[in-house]
Amino acid sequence: QVQLVESGGGLVQAGGSLRLSCAASGSMFSINMMSWYRQAPGNAREGVATITSVGTTTYADSVKGRFTISRDNAKNTVYLQMNSLKPEDTAVYYCYAHKSPGYWGQGTQVTVSS
């Protein structure tokens, strides 16, 4: 079974930065396509960013130019660097491993104050 442990969430002011981490165990992380999702109060969970096993990245339009997804296969860890944060970015952020079946992290809270 895959376990995903997230860290790095917190409270920041608008315009600030955070880096989220998601450490995987129990599988070969390097073969997984990994994604970050987020869910704000009252909203559906939405995709934020994806990175493939070879490093190709995609982003939601709302975060392009501000967020960067990356991975360190030696550490079995995926990151989400979030810059120029806005109050609209406030949400619980989840990492997801694309396997059969897929696996979700427990989520980490990001709060951006105005």
Side-chain angles (χ1 to χ4, degrees), residues 73-93:
N73 289 341
K75 297 181 178 180
N76 289 338
T77 301
V78 63
Y79 304 95
L80 186 68
Q81 178 67 47
M82 304 185 295
N83 298 326
S84 302
L85 283 162
K86 305 174 181 179
E88 304 93 277
D89 297 318
T90 295
V92 178
Y93 284 72

Side-chain angles (χ1 to χ4, degrees), residues 50-71:
T50 294
I51 186 166
T52 72
S53 60
V54 296
T56 302
T57 59
T58 57
Y59 299 91
D61 288 343
S62 59
V63 306
K64 284 181 179 177
R66 300 188 297 120
F67 291 10
T68 303
I69 188 171
S70 61
R71 67 193 297 168

Side-chain angles (χ1 to χ4, degrees), residues 23-68:
S25 63
S27 70
M28 292 185 65
F29 180 85
S30 62
I31 68 171
N32 293 333
M33 182 170 65
M34 299 290 297
S35 293
W36 287 96
Y37 288 75
R38 67 186 182 186
Q39 187 166 19
N43 290 8
R45 191 169 298 185
E46 63 176 346
V48 175
T50 294
I51 186 166
T52 72
S53 60
V54 296
T56 302
T57 59
T58 57
Y59 299 91
D61 288 343
S62 59
V63 306
K64 284 181 179 177
R66 300 188 297 120
F67 291 10
T68 303

Side-chain angles (χ1 to χ4, degrees), residues 96-114:
Y96 177 74
H98 295 258
K99 296 177 68 70
S100 183
Y103 295 91
W104 292 95
Q106 79 285 357
T108 184
Q109 177 71 49
V110 172
T111 303
V112 184
S113 62
S114 60

